[in-house]
């Protein structure tokens, strides 16, 4: 999804005449009639959700509070996000692990049952088809979630390779969980509030771990993960139980946890230094260039065996020519495609995501620069609307992460 969602939120919700609002929506996206709706659509509208088209779905960009307030509240208390537009799927069969390892960079075989990791689906050139959180439920069951905007492409890619794999006798099948909704509960109150709705001890579930359990009377897939840098969970819940679960979470938090939209989700993930596929990662960007070398399993570095392994392993050995870095800057916030220059005016890279940080109260951005100019503290100029402003390469995450890990 191109461009900053935060910026889009400002466009859509600024006090434009109605005709202009419609023009903006038309320019950015499909018509209202073509959009899919999550099972929580009416609940969003009833709670003041400002609905915008996103990746073929009608989704809330914000609610009654501002994107700034909503972002800060998630870090201070908590946020509840409807992420049902994302695609959850299960791979099953005794060969599901070797099958998936042909498509991703992770050491899936090395994961203990009930644990997961961020990974990247790669193409033949080593570029990113999508990023995904994958979980080994059991040795013969993998659960993964892919991005909404990549669903059709990812599903076609998996299907094509699965046909070839099965034709050679491989035992693998799959199921897309369209019978489930996906909620993300993030922030310091996430665990204490969710604990009130389940008998399972959540203090024993650490970052990246997965469990199938009863929450608020429904059988849920629970992963301790998220896209904000905060402690939190992604909850896959049957469609018929999703609205009740959302209501229960908000009520048990005494309204401190708020419904939170895509606008705040974008500023939260940027503060956490996390990639947005379509902005910070694309078909021509490798995991090494994107700063995701840590996600390439040690065994995979030695053996390869995934699409584009030749390119990626060569980059691991020799270093990539470009690297993803963070920036802080003066002047107006940089946006996607803002040019990055050295002090002599030479082009050294491009911003891929940027905005004003609601929590840090300053401009933050990420982008790609030539290797050698990627060290923290390196000064640069960032062009915004044709004018150069001072920028400096800054370590990410911009806001320290608070993932729940064993002490």
């Amino acid at each position: 999804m191109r461009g900053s969602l935060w910026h889009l939120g400002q466009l859509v919700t600024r006090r434009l005449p109605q005709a202009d609002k419609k023009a903006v929506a038309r320019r950015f996206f499909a018509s209202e009639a073509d959009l899919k709706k999550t099972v929580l659509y009416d609940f969003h509208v009833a709670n003041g959700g400002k609905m915008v088209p996103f990746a073929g779905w009608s989704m809330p960009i914000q609610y009654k509070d501002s994107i700034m307030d909503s972002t800060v509240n998630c870090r201070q208390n908590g946020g509840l996000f409807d992420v049902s537009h994302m695609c959850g799927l299960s791979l099953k069969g005794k060969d599901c692990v070797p099958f998936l390892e042909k498509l991703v960079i992770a050491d899936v075989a090395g994961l203990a049952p009930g644990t997961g990791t961020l990974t990247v689906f790669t193409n033949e050139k080593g570029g990113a088809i999508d990023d995904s959180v994958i979980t080994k439920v059991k040795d013969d069951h993998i659960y993964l979630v892919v991005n909404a905007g990549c669903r059709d492409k990812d599903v076609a890619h998996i299907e094509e390779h699965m046909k070839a794999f099965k034709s050679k006798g491989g035992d693998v099948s799959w199921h897309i969980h369209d019978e489930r909704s996906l909620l993300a509960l993030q922030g310091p109150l996430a665990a204490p509030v969710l604990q009130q709705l389940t008998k399972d001890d959540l203090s024993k579930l650490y970052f990246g771990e997965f469990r199938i359990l009863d929450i608020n009377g429904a059988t849920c897939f629970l992963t301790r993960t998220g896209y904000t840098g905060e402690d939190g969970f992604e909850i896959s819940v049957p469609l018929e139980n999703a609205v009740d679960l959302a209501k229960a979470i908000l009520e048990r938090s005494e309204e401190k946890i708020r419904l939170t939209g895509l606008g705040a989700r974008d500023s939260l993930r940027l503060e956490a230094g996390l990639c947005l596929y379509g902005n910070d990662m694309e078909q021509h960007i490798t995991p090494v260039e994107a700063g995701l070398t840590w996600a390439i399993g040690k065994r995979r570095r030695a053996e390869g065996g995934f699409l584009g392994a030749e390119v990626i392993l060569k980059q691991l050995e020799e270093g990539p020519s470009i690297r993803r870095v963070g920036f802080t800057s003066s002047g107006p916030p940089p946006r996607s495609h803002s040019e990055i220059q050295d002090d002599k005016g030479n082009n050294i890279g491009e911003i891929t995501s940027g905005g004003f940080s609601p929590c840090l109260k300053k401009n933050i951005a990420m982008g790609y620069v030539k290797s050698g100019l990627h060290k923290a503290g390196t000064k640069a100029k960032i062009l915004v609307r044709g004018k150069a402003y001072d920028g400096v390469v800054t370590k990410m995450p911009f806001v320290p992460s608070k993932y729940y890990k064993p002490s």
Side-chain angles (χ1 to χ4, degrees):
M1 178 65 222
R2 281 271 174 208
S4 161
L5 280 170
W6 184 88
H7 187 48
L8 173 61
Q10 305 312 302
L11 277 173
V12 174
T13 59
R14 207 178 281 149
R15 290 177 188 156
L16 294 168
Q18 205 56 37
D20 288 357
K21 279 188 184 173
K22 283 178 182 165
V24 166
R26 265 202 311 275
R27 198 170 80 227
F28 274 91
F29 306 98
S31 75
E32 192 90 4
D34 300 333
L35 298 173
K36 290 178 274 195
K37 292 175 179 175
T38 76
V39 76
L40 290 141
Y41 176 87
D42 292 338
F43 183 66
H44 296 313
V45 172
N47 282 278
K50 294 188 173 83
M51 310 305 287
V52 300
F54 179 74
W57 293 78
S58 181
M59 298 299 291
I61 195 155
Q62 68 183 102
Y63 295 85
K64 291 169 185 169
D65 53 353
S66 70
I67 290 171
M68 301 279 278
D69 288 346
S70 193
T71 303
V72 172
N73 184 70
C74 182
R75 297 216 189 279
Q76 288 180 347
N77 296 302
L80 181 65
F81 306 78
D82 178 10
V83 290
S84 308
H85 59 310
M86 295 179 77
C87 176
L89 56 98
S90 284
L91 297 173
K92 290 189 174 180
K94 69 177 173 59
D95 299 323
C96 69
V97 170
F99 167 70
L100 186 59
E101 285 200 342
K102 289 180 176 295
L103 306 183
V104 301
I105 59 175
D107 180 359
V108 188
L111 290 172
T115 68
T117 183
L118 177 77
T119 194
V120 178
F121 283 85
T122 49
N123 57 33
E124 284 81 358
K125 293 178 178 173
I129 291 174
D130 197 6
D131 58 336
S132 171
V133 172
I134 60 165
T135 302
K136 184 194 275 184
V137 182
K138 295 184 294 189
D139 286 330
D140 61 354
H141 180 190
I142 303 289
Y143 171 69
L144 59 144
V145 177
V146 299
N147 286 305
C150 299
R151 175 179 171 140
D152 293 347
K153 173 180 73 170
D154 291 356
V155 166
H157 177 70
I158 294 167
E159 194 166 30
E160 181 196 340
H161 285 274
M162 190 178 287
K163 273 182 189 162
F165 188 81
K166 288 172 84 164
S167 73
K168 292 173 187 164
D171 175 24
V172 62
S173 63
W174 65 334
H175 172 72
I176 297 173
H177 290 289
D178 285 336
E179 78 287 357
R180 291 181 163 269
S181 274
L182 193 62
L183 299 176
L185 176 60
Q186 301 283 294
L189 294 181
V193 167
L194 195 63
Q195 186 62 78
Q196 295 175 52
L197 301 173
T198 183
K199 289 182 179 140
D200 284 63
D201 184 357
L202 299 180
S203 72
K204 292 185 171 67
L205 188 75
Y206 295 106
F207 178 70
E209 293 184 349
F210 172 95
R211 202 173 284 173
I212 298 174
L213 73 178
D214 183 283
I215 301 175
N216 201 45
T219 302
C220 296
F221 303 164
L222 185 69
T223 313
R224 197 153 198 162
T225 187
Y227 194 46
T228 63
E230 297 295 315
D231 179 28
F233 306 88
E234 287 185 359
I235 312 161
S236 172
V237 55
L239 291 175
E240 62 272 21
N241 305 112
V243 174
D244 286 346
L245 177 57
K247 285 178 180 172
I249 288 168
L250 298 176
E251 281 165 17
R252 291 297 177 104
S253 79
E254 297 169 347
E255 312 301 327
K256 285 180 181 167
I257 291 174
R258 294 186 210 154
L259 285 170
T260 310
L262 291 174
R265 188 168 161 83
D266 193 49
S267 50
L268 287 157
R269 69 94 196 165
L270 182 55
E271 290 179 340
L274 300 172
C275 292
L276 173 65
Y277 190 88
N279 272 41
D280 314 298
M281 223 187 329
E282 292 196 65
Q283 302 259 16
H284 62 278
I285 297 287
T286 73
V288 181
E289 292 163 348
L292 299 176
T293 299
W294 60 268
I296 307 169
K298 194 177 174 186
R299 179 176 60 83
R300 310 308 308 274
R301 295 179 198 204
E303 296 174 7
F306 50 88
L307 291 175
E310 218 172 279
V311 176
I312 289 170
L313 299 185
K314 191 179 179 204
Q315 284 188 345
L316 285 173
E317 205 177 311
E318 299 173 3
S321 60
I322 57 168
R323 293 175 191 259
R324 181 173 66 97
V325 295
F327 280 97
T328 49
S329 68
S330 62
R335 300 288 176 210
S336 181
H337 300 307
S338 293
E339 187 182 337
I340 306 166
Q341 297 181 343
D342 63 16
D343 53 8
K344 295 183 180 74
N346 300 310
N347 179 306
I348 57 165
E350 184 179 89
I351 296 295
T352 51
S353 288
F356 182 78
S357 162
C359 296
L360 300 174
K361 305 287 186 277
K362 64 182 178 185
N363 298 338
I364 57 172
M366 64 173 85
Y368 286 83
V369 296
K370 291 175 181 173
S371 280
L373 302 171
H374 64 281
K375 302 274 192 309
T378 303
K379 291 181 176 166
K381 297 286 182 187
I382 300 175
L383 265 59
V384 184
R385 293 190 286 276
K387 195 175 172 191
Y389 296 92
D390 291 333
V392 62
V393 176
T394 306
K395 273 189 179 170
M396 295 187 286
F398 300 102
V399 172
S401 52
K402 302 186 184 76
Y403 302 126
Y404 181 70
K405 295 181 178 179
S407 50

